[in-house]
Amino acid sequence: MTRYDVIVVGGGPAGLAFARSLAGTGLKLALVERQPRTVLAEPGCDGREIALTHRSEASLKALGAWQAIDPAETSPLREARVLNAGSPFALAFDTGGTGEDRLGQLVPNHLIRRALFAVTHAQPGVDLLAGTAVSSARASREGAVAELADGRRLEARLLVAADSRFSAVREQLGIAAEVNRTGRAMMVCRVAHERDHEGIATEWFDYGQTIAMLPLRGRMSSAVLTLDAAGIEALAALDAERWGPRSPGASSRGWGG
């Protein structure tokens, strides 16, 4: 049995940010993640661009993670427009005379993960237990106990389940959650275009399908298409020729449900 003040299960952005927020408190933390350390240090690109508000950027700065993200990899989000099917009207969002030149920043998800890991993994008081999963967990008024797949047994005053929205730890602790499965899936890809997007994000909603165009640096956007799962499966199966000519950096980045 190894004793800690806090056990954090999950080395994604939520778990890493929480562990980082406890820096300087003197607390002893165990950070448990099933993925190997090498993947945490250099996460693969999953195609997702995360829209960060000014407050989110400030939070990452306070954690020391924002400084680890290359500014050349971020894209300013100046405005956003939401369209509804065939309606000629749009719901527009801008800075509204706040004096800001943007609503926020678009940052690749894998760079946020990499930056948070860079500032957290060697943090004093943090034991990173990577490459192993939690096989069982229980909690009571006296504290929490987590047994790992490699045989180790951890005890702490607090157990934090940050192992995704489908948290296995949450289920083991009997914490109820309602999951609404819509039968939809998404495809994400980067596309090049001739006209300037001017830093404006456009989202179009229709019955059965949606598409968002998120402005990236240069004349490039991240296209996010939502269809029924079968429709996305069919698109993902198309060969390169069916997608047309590709510019450097405009290739498909991936898809997922």
Side-chain angles (χ1 to χ4, degrees):
M1 176 78 76
T2 304
R3 299 181 184 277
Y4 293 92
D5 294 299
V6 184
I7 300 170
V8 182
V9 182
L16 289 169
F18 177 76
R20 181 60 179 170
S21 72
L22 297 179
T25 62
L27 296 175
K28 185 179 180 182
L29 281 68
L31 180 58
V32 184
E33 169 55 49
R34 66 172 62 239
Q35 295 187 96
R37 187 186 188 98
T38 53
V39 174
L40 295 176
E42 289 294 337
C45 176
D46 60 10
R48 288 184 291 173
E49 307 289 337
I50 307 300
L52 299 178
T53 63
H54 294 287
R55 178 166 292 185
S56 297
E57 181 180 331
S59 296
L60 287 175
K61 285 180 179 177
L63 296 175
W66 183 258
Q67 297 85 326
I69 298 175
D70 183 356
E73 297 288 348
T74 67
S75 306
L77 176 59
R78 304 194 187 283
E79 297 180 30
R81 297 172 184 167
V82 181
L83 307 173
N84 181 26
S87 171
F89 301 103
L91 180 63
F93 299 88
D94 56 31
T95 55
T98 60
E100 300 285 353
D101 67 343
R102 65 194 68 187
L103 294 172
Q105 302 267 27
L106 287 161
V107 185
N109 182 59
H110 72 287
L111 297 185
I112 297 174
R113 297 172 66 99
R114 186 173 70 185
L116 284 168
F117 179 81
V119 297
T120 303
H121 73 95
Q123 179 177 308
V126 173
D127 284 349
L128 175 62
L129 309 179
T132 188
V134 173
S135 57
S136 68
R138 63 181 185 273
S140 66
R141 292 180 181 273
E142 288 70 39
V145 175
E147 295 186 3
L148 307 187
D150 62 9
R152 283 179 285 186
R153 194 163 181 259
L154 315 179
E155 184 181 71
R157 291 186 290 162
L158 176 67
L159 173 64
V160 177
D163 53 333
S164 86
R165 64 188 184 280
F166 302 121
S167 172
V169 172
R170 182 189 66 219
E171 291 183 358
Q172 291 178 30
L173 296 177
I175 300 173
E178 182 176 338
V179 179
N180 181 22
R181 298 186 183 276
T182 64
R184 302 288 184 216
M186 300 174 69
M187 174 174 282
V188 180
C189 59
R190 286 192 171 190
V191 296
H193 39 78
E194 294 181 359
R195 299 178 62 181
D196 189 354
H197 49 53
E198 298 180 348
I200 301 173
T202 303
E203 298 179 73
W204 177 75
F205 292 84
D206 196 8
Y207 295 103
Q209 58 185 337
T210 66
I211 186 168
M213 296 291 286
L214 308 179
L216 304 179
R217 286 191 179 269
R219 296 188 175 182
M220 186 82 68
S221 293
S222 174
V224 184
L225 175 65
T226 304
L227 294 172
D228 59 86
I232 292 296
E233 288 275 6
L235 287 175
L238 295 178
D239 56 33
E241 287 70 22
R242 296 290 299 276
W243 285 101
R246 296 182 179 184
S247 300
S251 61
S252 174
R253 290 299 186 91
W255 68 282

